[in-house]
Amino acid sequence: MILDSQSIVSSLSEEFASRALERTIAERRDEYVQEIQRIVDATYRVIERTDQVDPSLRDVLKEAKLSTQGFYRYFQSKDELLLLLLDDGRRRLLSYLEHRMDRATTPEGRVRAWVEGVLAQASRPDAASRTRPFLANQDRLAAAYPEEQQRSVDALVDLLAATVSELRPGRRRDTARRDAEAIYHLAFGVLHVALRHGEAPTAAETEHLVRFCLQGLADT
């Protein structure tokens, strides 16, 4: 079989073009990811510096050294940026809680580690400044982006629900999750109040909440 040289060149050209396109797309993707991260980091810095729960887009763009046009290349609104920061914050918190819970040797200890880890966000200045805006804006963001907001919540609740199921093996899975949701709302309610007043829960307040949660799990 004799291959037409022009066909060979054409095939190679397409292959080289495809590979070049893939490299370009990968490079662009990395560039865009880095630029989005630059916007996120700039927003965090503005929040920490100004203590604003809803930083102005102008301040964020100035901090990021980015144009308005550059911003809208990635986001349709500032709420989308806040949603991204909310997700980023939740992921950081999830990793932090997993680390704390992994060190506990009993299910009760893991519930304690989860609750104490959530409330610890109010006593860590960096975490507090990053968490406060999202607790303040979470209702608005949940209304605008219900699925995305719920995924963030589910990740934290599911982590706790797995331990609740372990604590009470005979408990139905949906019951364990409802228990975990109740603890989630209690812990984040206390955290919200603490961040709003700029005061971390005391050791006694944290211990009271932990015991309340453990007692509630034991009684149901």
Side-chain angles (χ1 to χ4, degrees):
M1 180 179 180
I2 301 176
L3 295 178
D4 180 78
S5 61
Q6 186 173 358
S7 297
I8 296 175
V9 172
S10 177
S11 297
L12 287 174
S13 297
E14 290 179 2
E15 180 182 346
F16 291 154
S18 296
R19 284 161 49 184
L21 180 59
E22 289 173 2
R23 286 196 302 270
T24 300
I25 291 174
E27 291 170 359
R28 285 286 181 85
R29 182 169 53 245
D30 290 343
E31 178 185 335
Y32 291 163
V33 168
Q34 291 174 12
E35 196 157 63
I36 290 172
Q37 188 61 49
R38 182 154 60 94
I39 297 171
V40 168
D41 292 341
T43 308
Y44 278 139
R45 289 196 298 272
V46 171
I47 290 172
E48 292 170 4
R49 185 174 64 246
T50 64
D51 203 31
Q52 295 177 349
V53 296
D54 192 5
S56 73
L57 182 57
R58 182 176 62 182
D59 288 344
V60 169
L61 296 182
K62 182 178 179 181
E63 181 72 25
K65 297 180 175 58
L66 189 71
S67 67
T68 302
Q69 182 180 2
F71 175 84
Y72 285 109
R73 178 187 302 138
Y74 308 110
F75 304 100
Q76 294 184 1
S77 67
K78 190 177 71 174
D79 275 357
E80 283 195 348
L81 170 60
L82 290 177
L83 185 68
L84 177 59
L85 265 69
L86 172 63
D87 183 68
D88 179 71
R90 298 279 190 187
R91 290 177 185 277
R92 290 171 186 259
L93 177 57
L94 184 65
S95 176
Y96 174 70
L97 294 178
E98 287 175 335
H99 177 70
R100 290 180 65 106
M101 294 171 75
D102 284 345
R103 293 183 294 176
T105 57
T106 65
E108 292 86 354
R110 283 187 281 279
V111 171
R112 172 180 291 276
W114 191 98
V115 174
E116 289 179 346
V118 169
L119 298 190
Q121 303 308 296
S123 61
R124 300 167 56 205
D126 59 332
S129 64
R130 294 185 178 200
T131 304
R132 188 180 296 112
F134 314 120
L135 289 176
N137 293 306
Q138 65 179 349
D139 290 341
R140 178 164 56 84
L141 293 176
Y145 308 98
E147 293 183 5
E148 292 84 349
Q149 164 72 0
Q150 191 59 47
R151 279 201 297 269
S152 291
V153 174
D154 286 344
L156 295 170
V157 172
D158 289 344
L159 177 64
L160 182 59
T163 292
V164 172
S165 296
E166 186 181 356
L167 184 62
R168 296 289 297 275
R171 183 167 303 184
R172 289 176 51 180
R173 185 173 180 178
D174 60 337
T175 301
R177 199 177 195 288
R178 285 199 298 272
D179 290 342
E181 287 175 345
I183 296 173
Y184 170 90
H185 290 299
L186 281 171
F188 274 86
V190 172
L191 177 61
H192 194 172
V193 172
L195 291 174
R196 188 169 66 239
H197 292 291
E199 297 179 357
T202 65
E205 291 170 336
T206 299
E207 181 63 23
H208 177 79
L209 181 60
V210 169
R211 290 183 177 275
F212 182 85
C213 293
L214 289 174
Q215 187 62 49
L217 291 173
D219 290 343
T220 54

